[in-house]
Amino acid sequence: MFSALFNSFESGMIYAIMALGVYLTFRILDFPDMTVEGSFVTGASVAAIMIVNGYSPIVATLCAMVAGFIAGTITGFLHTKGKINPLLAGILMMIALYSINLRIMGASNIPLLSQTTIITNIQDAWAGTGLDNLLNGLLSFVGLGDSLPKTWAILIVMLVVAVVIQAGMSAFLKTEIGLALRATGDNEAMVKSFSAHTGNMKILGLAIGNALVAFSGSLVAQYNGFSDIGMGIGIIVIGLASVIIGEALFGAKTIARATLAVIGGAIIYRIVVTLALRVEFLETGDVKLITALIVVGALVIPKISDKQKEKTRKKRRLKEIQMRHDGTLPKGREEYASVKSDL
Amino acid sequence: MLRLNQIYKVFNEGTPDEKLALGNLELQMTKGEFVTVIGSNGAGKSTLMNMISGKILPDAGEVIIDGENVSAIEEHARAKMIGRVFQDPMLGTAPHMTIEENMAIAYGRTNRRGLGFGVTKKRKELFKECLGTLHLGLENRMTAKVGLLSGGERQALSLLMATFTDPKILLLDEHTAALDPSRAELVTNLTKEIVEKNQLTTLMVTHNMQQAIDLGNSLIMMDKGQIIFEARGAAKQKLTVEKLLNEFQRIKGEKMINDRAVLI
Ligand SMILES: Nc1ncnc2c1ncn2[C@@H]1O[C@H](COP(=O)(O)OP(=O)(O)OP(=O)(O)O)[C@@H](O)[C@H]1O
Ligand SMILES: [Mg+2]
């Protein structure tokens, strides 16, 4: 049980990088980008084929990111220059990438089990630090000593990577270009009237988003020990599930909070799936159905709770009006209210 | 400052819906001139604004801003010279971003955007000072999402955002039409104040004839894609609503039809 949860934390962190990419396109740009289904595999394929051909796994992973960046750029061009509807542009790119990914791999599956990958690199470097003993000691101390994880390396390093990307993204979204990018998704006419090239903003957002997705795909391939042509199926929904669960549980008030919430959402998603699969009658093949149900739940439940909140807000408002009527409203609020009613 | 030379624009050419939106339109504005535009529905007023901003390009003719022929320059590039406020308060601001972030986007209109932070300490001071001139208390709510503001507050903010970086041309397309009378008056007064203070070259569409007469130093009347009447300087000062209506009847041989005209 503990080790299953430990694994879902590990892979949750890796998938969180993909979810951050989906967050950028889907939430920030308001662009339902299906490209990710293909670019995830592209990342995995590029990394896998380069690793089996003897390239350093770091170079391979970087190349995977570049490949994703290019895929996103092309989708961006299809949409902005070709004037193809966002959904269709992504679907076209996804289909095209299917063939391209097969060409890259030269087969529908590349095993990486005996290869040196980023994951083994991290584990080797980590082994020298002796931190495992310390952390495992801690675990035994709190009474979880019977199923100690083999290594903490992946969990910790991937957590750091995800948080660094999250911090970088939220800083970027506060720069001048980042603000224009966000406004492009929020109100295109407005940001155009303030002289931003919204087409380029969309291309940039799609490129960065897909670079992150491909990066995540390359890490998943190295973590699982294989790259497979089918590994991208349903990735968009997993990304959305993470984004939506994160928003529902942790909020999205500021960009920093929203992006952290995405990481949290990705981990929780993994945990929910892991737990669900422990239920007797559910099979591995049911994962996609569970995912769909999670997304539906995460979409519908907040709406219901919003309605509830609105009801309480209305009640409070009525009370406030009553209080003002009675002249018992505190002074500070009165001032603010009168400014507002001027307008 | 602004010159339109023989502008033609036809929509849906070659279809039964073909519509001459602007026909042989000529307009000249000097620096600092404040022109109000009136005309019945479908006269081409918004098309004229879109023509200047570059949202639509002319079929024939030239748009010249500050001596530069911008006829072929795209909207976003032309926006470096132009400040706009739309009729719909929702259109002028990004609702899910904060007041200061919206201001930062507006601030970026004149420069090239880079990887520096949009809202810096120094800029915050500037934004605060500018927001203070609106007297709406927005300077104390700089981190509030703009979507939380009322229509009037949003429109006042849009106006500030369009003007505080000194555009060469300010375009206002019925920017008070969606507001209730008291809020509309507030935004109108702000418009007057801001345009006077910054000496902005302004083109303002309004469906309120009295407002068109009271504001600015020139007035043009449009009909069927053309300017059918102009009053500048002293002639403009002497205009009344009645005179305008008579003028329209004399030119067109028919009564002015404008379902939104407010004739007070
Ligand atoms: N994008 C477009 N495609 C087709 N026809 C258009 C388009 N934009 C405007 N028109 C037509 O051009 C004519 C002029 O429209 P415009 O919006 O400029 O009128 P207006 O003077 O602003 O009217 P209103 O007072 O109603 O705002 C109208 O007949 C309109 O239907
Ligand atoms: Mg109009």
Side-chain angles (χ1 to χ4, degrees), chain B residues 11-12 17 19-22 39-48 50 56 87 173-174 205 207 222 258 260:
Chain B
F11 285 117
N12 303 318
D17 286 335
K19 169 94 201 170
L20 180 73
L22 296 177
S40 37
N41 300 132
K45 305 180 297 292
S46 297
T47 309
L48 169 67
N50 290 335
I56 54 176
Q87 173 173 352
D173 190 354
E174 302 196 41
V205 175
H207 60 262
M222 287 186 69
N258 186 343
R260 281 190 287 155

